[in-house]
């Protein structure tokens, strides 16, 4: 079967580390708001939520209790029909050891790891290797975030050298993060695909108003997609989206146009389980 026909994993990143309600009044920040957003996005077609939590002042947080509270609220709202992915993003606030410690404390079902944030000169390679081994041993669904072709090559090098153990990883290519005004283009995907070794399933997220065009390009290329207010607030026609579910709806419609069914949470869990 052509990869284009494989079920498409549609994830939503509803808030991110930086935006607030000043950017959009319906940007979810509390556990209750995240749960409401998860339910609406599930109905629209999403099967994974990329979760950021905030502290009392509204700033990005890696507090384990906050993640557990948000996850519990989402589970009450949607049960196990959505995969809850913890973000370990530094956002300029946290050092690599704090990021890794937070993941160990939360022990989430799924986590995203920005490779360039923890594979740094400040982190001994043995510490990095031990962390990835712990993720595998704990059977945490791990998505590795790559912002550039340089990151892709670094990812491949670490695996080749045995610093990263074999595990069913999920790779995320980020389009437009370092482009002018953080605006992506579908053509940005080509460099990632040319550098990728095809070892693992991949997804993409895209900064800016061309998010939907990038979704179409990724879905047509056999990849998976992540949409949401973390990276973009606008619909394909340039108007402000009412909420995250509106962006999910457009992505789901794109998948249907391309003939790709949407994956459910059970499919995602089987794909990224040990031996999946």
């Amino acid at each position: 079967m052509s990869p284009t026909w494989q079920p498409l994993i549609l994830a939503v990143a509803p808030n991110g580390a930086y935006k607030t309600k000043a950017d959009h009044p319906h940007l979810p920040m509390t556990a209750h708001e995240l749960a409401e957003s998860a339910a609406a996005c599930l109905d629209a077609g999403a099967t994974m939520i990329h979760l950021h939590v905030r502290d009392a002042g509204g700033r990005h947080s890696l507090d384990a209790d906050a993640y557990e509270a948000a996850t519990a609220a989402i589970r009450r709202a949607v049960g196990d029909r959505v995969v809850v992915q913890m973000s370990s993003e530094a956002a300029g606030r946290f050092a690599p050891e704090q990021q890794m410690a937070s993941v160990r404390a939360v022990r989430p079902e799924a986590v995203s790891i920005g490779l360039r944030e923890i594979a740094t000169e400040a982190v001994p390679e043995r510490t990095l290797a031990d962390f990835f081994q712990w993720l595998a041993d704990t059977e945490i669904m791990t998505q590795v975030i790559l912002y550039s072709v340089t990151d892709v090559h670094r990812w491949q090098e670490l695996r080749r050298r045995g610093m990263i153990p074999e595990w069913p990883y999920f790779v995320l290519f980020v389009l437009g993060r370092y482009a002018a005004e953080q605006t992506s283009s579908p053509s940005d995907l080509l460099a990632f695909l040319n550098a990728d070794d095809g070892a693992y399933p991949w997804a993409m997220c895209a900064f800016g108003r061309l998010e939907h065009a990038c979704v179409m390009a990724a879905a047509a290329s056999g990849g998976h997609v992540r949409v949401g207010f973390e990276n973009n607030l606008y619909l394909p026609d340039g108007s402000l989206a009412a909420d995250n579910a509106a962006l999910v709806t457009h992505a789901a419609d794109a998948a249907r146009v391309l003939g790709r069914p949407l994956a459910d949470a059970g499919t995602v869990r089987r794909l990224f389980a040990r031996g999946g």
Side-chain angles (χ1 to χ4, degrees):
M1 180 184 294
S2 166
T4 304
W5 292 91
Q6 292 178 356
L8 181 138
I9 299 169
L10 176 47
V12 63
N15 54 1
Y18 301 100
K19 289 188 176 75
T20 68
K21 291 188 184 296
D23 297 289
H24 196 293
H26 290 155
L27 186 128
M29 297 180 67
T30 67
H32 175 70
E33 290 169 344
L34 286 164
E36 287 187 329
S37 184
C41 290
L42 171 65
D43 289 343
T47 194
M48 176 182 285
I49 182 169
H50 174 71
L51 189 63
H52 288 257
V53 294
R54 306 299 181 91
D55 63 18
R59 297 177 302 173
H60 170 66
S61 174
L62 291 181
D63 180 72
D65 289 341
Y67 269 116
E68 289 165 4
T71 299
I74 292 169
R75 289 281 174 248
R76 287 193 296 271
V78 300
D80 63 357
R81 292 179 294 160
V82 168
V83 174
V84 179
Q85 181 190 72
M86 171 190 178
S87 170
S88 64
E89 184 174 349
R93 297 195 66 203
F94 300 101
E97 59 269 21
Q98 294 172 297
Q99 295 170 267
M100 291 184 280
S102 177
V103 177
R104 289 179 185 271
V106 176
R107 297 173 68 96
E109 174 184 22
V111 69
S112 65
I113 305 291
L115 186 70
R116 65 171 50 189
E117 292 188 342
I118 64 168
T120 70
E121 292 182 357
V123 177
E125 288 193 338
R126 186 70 264 159
T127 300
L128 180 70
D130 287 347
F131 179 60
F132 272 94
Q133 187 63 59
W134 177 84
L135 290 169
D137 291 344
T138 314
E139 300 193 358
I140 292 174
M141 189 186 307
T142 301
Q143 184 170 63
V144 179
I145 301 178
L146 306 173
Y147 290 95
S148 67
V149 169
T150 299
D151 284 359
V152 175
H153 291 158
R154 175 69 167 146
W155 167 239
Q156 294 167 354
E157 175 203 5
L158 288 167
R159 287 166 37 221
R160 185 170 56 250
R161 293 177 49 225
M163 294 295 101
I164 305 292
E166 184 60 32
W167 178 247
Y169 298 105
F170 193 13
V171 176
L172 180 73
F173 302 137
V174 181
L175 311 189
R177 176 66 176 84
Y178 297 101
E181 298 181 353
Q182 292 193 352
T183 299
S184 57
S185 167
S187 62
D188 295 340
L189 183 60
L190 295 175
F192 285 97
L193 296 184
N194 287 336
D196 183 41
D197 60 9
Y200 303 108
W202 60 271
M204 77 88 223
C205 68
F207 279 83
R209 299 188 182 206
L210 292 182
E211 178 187 68
H212 186 69
C214 295
V215 164
M216 292 288 290
S221 300
H224 305 280
V225 300
R226 193 186 87 185
V227 300
F229 282 178
E230 175 169 355
N231 301 121
N232 168 55
L233 299 172
Y234 296 92
L235 297 175
D237 64 5
S239 62
L240 188 68
D243 53 22
N244 279 284
L247 298 177
V248 172
T249 295
H250 278 277
D253 288 344
R256 296 185 187 100
V257 167
L258 293 167
R260 289 189 66 179
L262 296 176
D264 60 19
T267 299
V268 177
R269 293 184 176 108
R270 288 190 295 272
L271 179 62
F272 296 108
R274 189 183 299 276

